[in-house]
Amino acid sequence: IAGITQAPTSQILAAGRRMTLRCTQDMRHNAMYWYRQDLGLGLRLIHYSNTAGTTGKGEVPDGYSVSRANTDDFPLTLASAVPSQTSVYFCASSETGGRADTQYFGPGTRLTVL
Amino acid sequence: AQSVAQPEDQVNVAEGNPLTVKCTYSVSGNPYLFWYVQYPNRGLQFLLKYITGDNLVKGSYGFEAEFNKSQTSFHLKKPSALVSDSALYFCAVRDTGGRNTPLVFGKGTRLSVIA
């Protein structure tokens, strides 16, 4: 059982370029999340999806977009990358999206924007 | 608004000694509380959570945490630390009140267990 996979593992990107981070889960979880992790700031929620076909904004959504066409995939797109988007990005999923749900995390994507 | 604080950036403990990683929270309703661990270059791994019931919660790898409502705390503990426990630990809270409240993470505490 793979759980959550993320691709790429790491990426160096020129500012202004478009980039899509991929996330796939095989647990048939309804809810999925994208976080960014920055030193000294912990994890901050970017976007979430409680079920396929729906998405919502988290704490830091600006500059990012998501889609949820099916249960398994939840890609995160940076339309025009900026250096402040340099971070480690984690995808997570939970069974129902309920508040007591445990979230399970992928291995992360390290993104550097120059 | 909900928030969580981990007052220590770094905790050092000798192997075999008990360890405590502190966490305090603020919510408008009742809290759901979580602890996660992150090893280098890895994603977060779930350790334990408090939803309701017994204030002492037992989790993975011998860790436990005690929910203290009066002190709004949820400190992570282990009776005897191992070198392999060295990692970054995150406390997280989710408010049972309000609409669409997200899971909010603390900034993390780096635990170093010294042989």
Side-chain angles (χ1 to χ4, degrees), chain A residues 5 8-9 16 24 26 33-34 37 39 41 50 53-55 61 66 70 72 77-78 86-87 99 109 112:
Chain A
T5 57
T9 302
T24 299
D26 64 2
Y33 314 84
W34 274 106
Q37 182 180 21
L39 193 64
L41 295 177
N50 285 331
T54 70
T55 62
V66 291
N70 57 62
D72 298 343
T77 297
L78 290 68
T86 294
S87 187
R99 300 182 195 207
T109 293
T112 302

Side-chain angles (χ1 to χ4, degrees), chain B residues 71-93:
Chain B
Q71 297 186 7
T72 62
S73 67
F74 190 56
H75 301 330
L76 182 70
K77 299 183 179 184
K78 187 173 182 180
S80 179
L82 301 172
V83 173
S84 57
D85 293 330
S86 299
L88 188 58
Y89 290 81
F90 289 97
C91 181
V93 66

